[in-house]
Amino acid sequence: MKIIVAKTAGFCFGVKRAVNIAFRVAREKRKGVYTLGPIIHNPQVVERLKEKGIVPIEDIKAKKDIKALIIRTHGIPLYLSKEISSIGCEIIDATCPFVKKAQYYAKLLREEDYQVVILGEKEHPEVKGLMSYASDDVMIVDGKKPLPRLKSKVGIVVQTTQPVEALKKVLSHAIEYAKEIKVYNTICNSTALRLKETEEMARKVDVMVVVGGKNSANTTQLARLCGSLSVSTYHVETSSEIEDGWFKGAKKIGITAGASTPDWIIKEVEERIRYIGG
Ligand code: SF4
């Protein structure tokens, strides 16, 4: 039985950086440090951090002993960072630098008097953060529906995980209204590369094992992609969920993982499958 692990499996640059920051802070054994929401969508990593004293909270007023807050990769809205600072709480900023760049461009467009258009999901925390940096007449679009009427001077920024095809569609709609368009292509290609490699792998193997949190959007996206192709697909959070019968008669097994899956969990899954395969 041949086992292939995707090169793009596991932490992306931004997640690796955020997790490193959180564990570094944990090693300092400071009291009253929390993460605003789970640092990443991986229950095992969140549990390890909890054991080291860093617990996620949803509301900054929920804890009286709060001294510092670690901000996750998606970033937070401007008003919230002001609110956190106003209660005397330190911000340990683990926002991904690519997201920071998109926030910076949204602010720049506002200052240069552009109507800001954000391509992204309205309810996504990254987009909520971006909106706070943009002009009051900011518009959120998804690239599927035609754009409503725009002003003549339009500036576009993009949620980092959006596909490039969606940006092309938004541009072709915007051109119908605007006389001047400024575009900051803030798409991070980490997700696109992971999807591409996963698809290529899924077409070559008999069984695909997708590793990562069941609450992780990008891991479930990988599992859905594999499931849509004619390959047996299993989505597991840890090696303990793997069953021997899944690999009966299989010659090639592919393993991929979402951006929030740590290396040690991928390794355990690989070893478990290797053991089953003899
Ligand atoms: S997917 Fe890209 S933008 Fe998002 S956290 Fe990872 S590196 Fe940063």
Side-chain angles (χ1 to χ4, degrees):
M1 186 194 278
K2 189 172 174 190
I3 300 165
I4 316 163
V5 182
K7 287 192 194 79
T8 52
F11 287 176
C12 63
F13 156 76
V15 167
K16 191 183 276 179
R17 182 176 170 274
V19 171
N20 284 345
I21 291 174
F23 278 96
R24 192 198 66 221
V25 174
R27 279 195 300 277
E28 291 167 1
K29 297 196 186 310
R30 292 166 57 182
K31 295 273 176 255
V33 183
Y34 297 90
T35 59
L36 191 56
I39 188 81
I40 56 170
H41 287 137
N42 183 278
Q44 290 72 31
V45 171
V46 173
E47 207 45 51
R48 276 199 176 185
L49 269 176
K50 272 192 201 165
E51 286 161 14
K52 293 179 185 298
I54 305 226
V55 175
I57 54 166
E58 298 299 333
D59 177 6
I60 58 167
K61 296 190 187 98
K63 298 281 174 189
K64 292 224 162 23
D65 69 337
I66 188 164
K67 299 250 175 355
L69 257 186
I70 304 174
I71 306 302
R72 55 190 175 176
T73 54
H74 304 314
I76 53 171
L78 210 49
Y79 75 84
L80 192 52
S81 41
K82 285 182 187 151
E83 207 177 316
I84 295 167
S85 302
S86 75
I87 59 165
C89 175
E90 179 195 347
I91 292 177
I92 302 171
D93 196 358
T95 306
C96 176
F98 297 145
V99 176
K100 278 265 185 216
K101 203 183 232 179
Q103 292 174 345
Y104 168 75
Y105 287 141
K107 181 169 168 276
L108 201 63
L109 288 169
R110 188 193 72 208
E111 287 166 359
E112 291 175 351
D113 225 17
Y114 285 87
Q115 179 183 15
V116 181
V117 171
I118 300 172
L119 166 60
E121 298 156 50
K122 208 171 190 158
E123 293 308 315
H124 194 284
E126 181 185 325
V127 174
K128 286 185 177 169
L130 285 178
M131 282 170 73
S132 70
Y133 287 85
S135 44
D136 291 341
D137 53 5
V138 58
M139 197 171 277
I140 316 300
V141 297
D142 59 10
K144 291 175 195 137
K145 295 186 276 301
L147 302 191
R149 190 154 197 91
L150 298 172
K151 294 189 173 166
S152 64
K153 208 175 152 189
V154 170
I156 301 173
V157 281
V158 192
Q159 182 187 349
T160 51
T161 46
Q162 286 290 308
V164 75
E165 288 71 28
L167 177 57
K168 285 183 194 164
K169 277 191 195 146
V170 168
L171 275 172
S172 72
H173 290 307
I175 228 151
E176 288 172 26
Y177 301 109
K179 293 279 172 255
E180 185 184 336
I181 304 175
K182 196 175 223 181
V183 186
Y184 286 109
N185 179 357
T186 43
I187 295 172
C188 160
N189 62 4
S190 163
T191 310
L193 289 175
R194 190 188 308 268
L195 284 165
K196 186 170 179 279
E197 191 190 15
T198 299
E199 179 168 356
E200 284 166 6
M201 183 181 269
R203 292 189 188 279
K204 287 187 210 139
V205 299
D206 305 303
V207 179
M208 275 300 291
V209 179
V210 182
V211 194
K214 302 266 163 74
N215 59 346
S216 153
N218 77 88
T219 310
T220 43
Q221 190 185 14
L222 291 173
R224 254 202 320 271
L225 169 68
C226 298
S228 71
L229 306 166
S230 53
V231 61
S232 307
T233 303
Y234 300 97
H235 177 176
V236 298
E237 276 189 1
T238 66
S239 61
S240 64
E241 294 163 55
I242 293 172
E243 294 173 23
D244 298 16
W246 294 352
F247 309 102
K248 224 173 183 173
K251 291 194 174 64
K252 271 192 202 163
I253 317 293
I255 301 174
T256 189
S260 50
T261 312
D263 282 354
W264 51 272
I265 293 187
I266 302 170
K267 200 97 213 115
E268 279 174 10
V269 165
E270 185 187 353
E271 277 161 14
R272 171 89 179 103
I273 299 172
R274 214 170 278 290
Y275 175 77
I276 293 168

